[in-house]
Structure formats: C-alpha cells, structure tokens
Amino acid sequence: MDVLAAVAVGTGKPFEMRQLVLDDPREDEVLVRIVGVGVCHTDIVFKEGQMIPPPAVLGHEGSGIVEAVGAAVTKVAPGDRVALTFRSCGHCSRCDRGDAAYCETMPMLNYAGMRTDGSRTLREGETAVAGNFFGQSSFATRALVYERNLVKVPEDIPLELIGPLGCGIQTGAGGVMRSLACEAGSSLLITGGGPVGLSAVMGARIQGCATIILVEPHAARRALATEFGATHVIDPAEAPDLAAAVRGILPQGVDYAFDTTGVPAVQQAVMGALASKGVFGIVGIAPPGTPTPGEVNTIMTFGHTIKGIIEGDSDPDVFLPQLMEHYRRGELPFDRMIRTFPFAQINEAIAAQHHGDCVKVVLLMDD
Ligand SMILES: [Zn+2]
Ligand SMILES: [Zn+2]
C-alpha cells in the first residue's frame, strides 16, 4: 500500500517526504497505522553515519493502531493500540533469560534495513528502500512490525505520545531501575539532561535515591530535572572540575553514575566522582575507538564497575507496562518533556531538538 515516509537520503541532507509502497504483512508481520513517533538521537546517528545505506526509512519510537495481522500473529488484532520498541528474536540464550536488549540477532533484526531473508518491505517505484529499522521504520504513516517489538497500550494512556517509552524513556528509566538497580537511599550522578537523562532522573525518584545530581548545560533542562526529582543540578560552565563539584555535594563520591552524553572527557571526569564500589553505567554513544574511561589500578583499588547498557536492559513485555503504570500514578510524567510537531515538519523538529529549544520531539501523523 502507499505510505508517506520521511526518507533519509544521505549525510548532511534533510529528510525528504516521499510516497513509498509498503508490502502487505507476511505471516509474522503486523501492519500498524502510525499515529505518533519520537525522534531519538540514534535516528540522527544512523542518518548522518549512513549506517544503513540510503535511501532508508528510520524511526524507532512509533505508536499506533493495528490495521492488519499475518496469519501467525496471535498477540494483537486489528484495532489494538500499540507502542513499538526494539526487536528481539525471543528464543536465543539472551532472550531466554529476559535479556532481550542483548539478543544474539539484535543487529540483524534492528539495523540491517531488511527482513532476515534479505527482502525489503519498502520501495519507491523500482528502487528498494531500506526499512525494518528496529523492526518498524516508523517515520512513515504505516509500518510493518513484529509481535516481539510491540506492546499493547491501555485506553487511558495517550497513544500518540507513548512511542518514546519504547526507546529513550526506557533507556533512561530502565538504566537506573533495571541496569543499575539503584537502591533506595543511594546516590546517583547523571550526566546529560536530554530525554534519556531526564528519564533517568524520574527513574531515580521512583527507586527512592536520596541524592540525584544532574549535570546539564541548558538551564531549562536543569529546571525540569529539579521538578522531576533531581536534588542537585550542576551547570558544567560553572563547574569545570566535575569530580570536585560532585565531591562538594557528597565528599565520598556517588554510589552510581549514568552517562548519557557519550563525551569522552565527561565520562573520564565521572570516574573521579565515584565512591568506592561505585558503578558507572554508560548509554551515551562515544566516538568510535574511544577507550574505556578511568585508570585500571584505580578501578581495582576502589572496586569500581563500568557497565555498558542497551535499552535500559528492558524486557519490553514486562517493563513497558510497568512504566505505563508509573505514568498513570504521576511518577513518570514523561509527557512534560515532549513537544509535538506535524510529521511533515520533521526537519524543523530535529533542528529545534538539536538547539535545545525542546527536550523531546514527537511527530504526529494526521492520516
Ligand atoms: Zn534473541
Ligand atoms: Zn532510540
């Protein structure tokens, strides 16, 4: 069928709105009419790095309504409201133990731009267009998705805003609630107050962390962090020595740290702010080749741990409903981070997010 998609065409070029043709759902596929889709930094990294050769349809924080299902699909039916997330196989050694974010076939299922048999879901005339991004490619009015990367959304949850739960929000909240599993009364340093960092602040409050320190250059984001539960905020412009600034608040250092910036100098500075036995979780994407932060003998002497984190160690079928329940109780007011734009204004929306005018963009389709 015909779909309107924002197509990535190359490095430094804006997304182009184009009419494409999407396959009908195969046996294991679900056709979803997208109503909203978040824009995540990973979309930009893939577009600019041409990590899936263009033309490609990206987008991996979609939500919408099921329109049709393949014969083997039992989890949902037409009319169901769904949030989309990353795709996993469901039967490998990692998926079997609930570690879907580390699925053995994660790259093939999420970043290959095609189905596992090599076929494409999207085309423009005779030209194949890469799709299947995170098992969805939801920068489009319709998407083909899979049972493993959709979760039903109850009627009282705002469907059009829920997409970011499936990536940025579960990465931040899950990083603190699942990966680091910060215990009540513990201390946490979060570097970067974008959507992931602010979701980490909300997750830290849910966990009952006693000290939640956020480092972020934008004043508006620091203010939002304070509303979300940060006990201290640091403007890096006023604190060139981050470790000293943190130790000015907690002389022994922090129990946990969570980096969302991917900036090597920031990651290095965080190591100096860790208490003994401190655990440092990293979700920020650093430039290729960046060495692990810290110094081996210091890590050994103080019992430090450095932990890589994907998607907040989320098992979406378990964790996304939990996050929706936290939202319902007012403990995860993620909608306050979101500014909506019409889908056709995707490039303007990305510019606004990039300049810090808004924290999290969600594009709305009016189909
Ligand atoms: Zn798997
Ligand atoms: Zn993402």
Side-chain angles (χ1 to χ4, degrees):
M1 78 213 53
D2 291 339
V3 296
L4 179 66
V7 181
V9 294
T11 308
K13 296 180 184 158
F15 285 97
E16 292 184 5
M17 302 302 292
R18 294 189 188 168
Q19 289 288 338
L20 306 180
V21 175
L22 179 68
D23 278 0
D24 290 332
R26 288 189 178 178
E27 189 175 55
D28 61 340
E29 291 176 339
V30 176
L31 176 66
V32 174
R33 178 170 66 81
I34 301 295
V35 298
V37 56
V39 177
C40 176
H41 184 60
T42 304
D43 294 309
I44 312 304
V45 169
F46 268 75
K47 170 174 164 288
E48 291 304 311
Q50 300 195 19
M51 293 164 76
I52 296 176
V57 177
L58 305 172
H60 63 286
E61 293 187 350
S63 59
I65 296 170
V66 174
E67 282 196 330
V69 299
V73 172
T74 57
K75 187 176 178 181
V76 289
D80 283 347
R81 296 150 48 93
V82 292
L84 308 179
T85 183
F86 66 91
R87 189 180 173 201
S88 57
C89 79
H91 49 69
C92 71
S93 68
R94 303 299 105 167
C95 286
D96 278 350
R97 62 182 204 191
D99 283 331
Y102 305 91
C103 173
E104 290 174 9
T105 45
M106 187 89 177
M108 181 64 223
L109 296 179
N110 291 276
Y111 319 127
M114 59 190 78
R115 294 186 180 97
T116 51
D117 69 357
S119 65
R120 306 280 185 164
T121 55
L122 288 161
R123 72 201 129 81
E124 182 177 28
E126 296 303 304
T127 308
V129 174
N132 284 90
F133 188 53
F134 281 80
Q136 51 183 288
S137 287
S138 44
F139 286 162
T141 49
R142 281 174 177 74
L144 285 177
V145 312
Y146 301 84
E147 285 186 318
R148 287 283 298 174
N149 72 316
L150 61 77
V151 175
K152 281 199 212 182
V153 178
E155 288 293 331
D156 62 330
I157 302 283
L159 182 64
E160 69 283 5
L161 302 183
I162 204 73
L165 225 62
C167 184
I169 295 169
Q170 78 178 355
T171 296
V176 170
M177 297 169 69
R178 291 176 63 95
S179 315
L180 296 176
C182 300
E183 65 273 17
S186 63
S187 54
L188 169 67
L189 167 66
I190 299 161
T191 44
V196 176
L198 289 172
S199 298
V201 171
M202 291 185 267
R205 186 167 63 176
I206 290 169
Q207 293 298 100
C209 293
T211 307
I212 306 169
I213 306 169
L214 180 93
V215 184
E216 163 59 40
H218 287 286
R221 294 179 178 195
R222 292 197 302 273
L224 203 48
T226 304
E227 292 173 37
F228 287 164
T231 58
H232 303 76
V233 289
I234 295 174
D235 178 357
E238 291 177 1
D241 184 342
L242 176 60
V246 171
R247 288 181 187 277
I249 298 165
L250 279 180
Q252 72 274 31
V254 288
D255 300 319
Y256 298 98
F258 187 69
D259 178 62
T260 70
T261 70
V263 176
V266 172
Q267 295 177 344
Q268 194 65 38
V270 167
M271 294 302 292
L274 284 182
S276 57
K277 295 285 287 192
V279 183
F280 181 17
I282 297 176
V283 297
I285 304 171
T290 302
T292 310
E295 191 269 325
V296 171
N297 290 337
T298 307
I299 290 171
M300 181 265 291
T301 304
F302 292 97
H304 290 158
T305 301
I306 299 176
K307 189 174 171 56
I309 297 172
I310 291 291
E311 297 284 353
D313 286 281
S314 176
D315 184 355
D317 281 325
V318 174
F319 191 49
L320 291 186
Q322 288 173 3
L323 290 180
M324 289 182 215
E325 181 58 28
H326 285 298
Y327 170 77
R328 195 180 272 130
R329 290 193 214 137
E331 296 162 352
L332 190 81
F334 69 86
D335 50 334
R336 295 183 49 207
M337 299 193 290
I338 290 175
R339 185 165 142 202
T340 60
F341 286 77
F343 179 42
Q345 289 178 22
I346 180 170
N347 294 306
E348 293 85 343
I350 289 168
Q353 187 164 286
H354 181 72
H355 292 129
D357 301 342
C358 54
V359 180
K360 181 76 188 180
V361 163
V362 169
L363 305 169
L364 300 181
M365 315 286 172
D366 344 272
D367 204 15

